[in-house]
Amino acid sequence: MKRLLRRPSPAMVVACLALLVALGGTGMAAATQVARNSVGTPQLKDGAVSNPKIKNNAINSAKVAARSLLRSDFAPGQLPAGPIGPQGPAGPAGPAGAAGPAGVIGAITVRTSSKLVDGGVAENGAYNSQRVTVLCQGNERAISGGTSWSDDAAARELMTGELEPQLNAQNQVVGFLCVGLNDSGNDSTFTVHALCYTP
């Protein structure tokens, strides 16, 4: 006895197609879903996590390894200056520099100071004396000095017994103190000269 196959009705065909679509969607969803905590380092390709994939403020100090950031990772001015350490020992002296050009001395002014020295009895060995000091003026300095007598006759007993430089607080020569000795029998004027210049 032959069995007759009947064509499925249109309603049956639509129902079967709907069932297949429903089952296929569920299978697809099941295949694409990943179990929680199942993706680790081996499953990630190099460069797979890019900046757009990272949530804002997701990386904080707890996520950064200690001492892993460099100065170059920060914008200029973001890092505070560190404390200043103690001063180190002085280094060795450097080599001497080349000699500078010779200085130029300005105009020289002659400053003088005088006193009259009694001549006494001529050439009796008892010299009369006077101490005379001459100083430069203002900020002048003395470069040299000397003495002279008003009586320039030959063979007169006229002498300079002392020539002592005078110093200021900076130990610079600013004049001279001199002693004039007279045993000529004639009064004579003793003059001290200082050659002064402005540095």
Side-chain angles (χ1 to χ4, degrees), residues 103-173:
V104 177
I105 295 178
I108 294 177
T109 302
V110 178
R111 306 293 181 188
T112 62
S113 181
S114 303
K115 284 187 179 180
L116 183 66
V117 183
D118 183 5
V121 178
E123 301 180 12
N124 68 346
Y127 288 89
N128 294 319
S129 64
Q130 287 286 355
R131 298 170 64 87
V132 180
T133 300
V134 60
L135 296 175
C136 298
Q137 298 180 4
N139 62 344
E140 294 177 341
R141 304 290 181 265
I143 192 173
S144 183
T147 64
S148 65
W149 291 89
S150 59
D151 188 349
D152 59 356
R156 293 288 174 86
E157 292 287 338
L158 301 169
M159 296 187 299
T160 299
E162 182 181 350
L163 178 66
E164 179 182 340
Q166 302 298 291
L167 307 178
N168 62 10
Q170 290 74 42
N171 210 35
Q172 299 165 328
V173 179

Side-chain angles (χ1 to χ4, degrees), residues 55-76:
K55 182 180 179 181
N56 290 338
N57 301 321
I59 298 178
N60 52 33
S61 60
K63 303 291 193 299
V64 179
R67 299 179 178 84
S68 63
L69 297 179
L70 304 176
R71 181 177 293 272
S72 58
D73 296 321
F74 297 88

Side-chain angles (χ1 to χ4, degrees), residues 37-70:
N37 299 325
S38 64
V39 177
T41 301
Q43 285 76 32
L44 294 177
K45 294 181 179 180
D46 291 342
V49 180
S50 58
N51 287 337
K53 300 297 184 181
I54 300 174
K55 182 180 179 181
N56 290 338
N57 301 321
I59 298 178
N60 52 33
S61 60
K63 303 291 193 299
V64 179
R67 299 179 178 84
S68 63
L69 297 179
L70 304 176

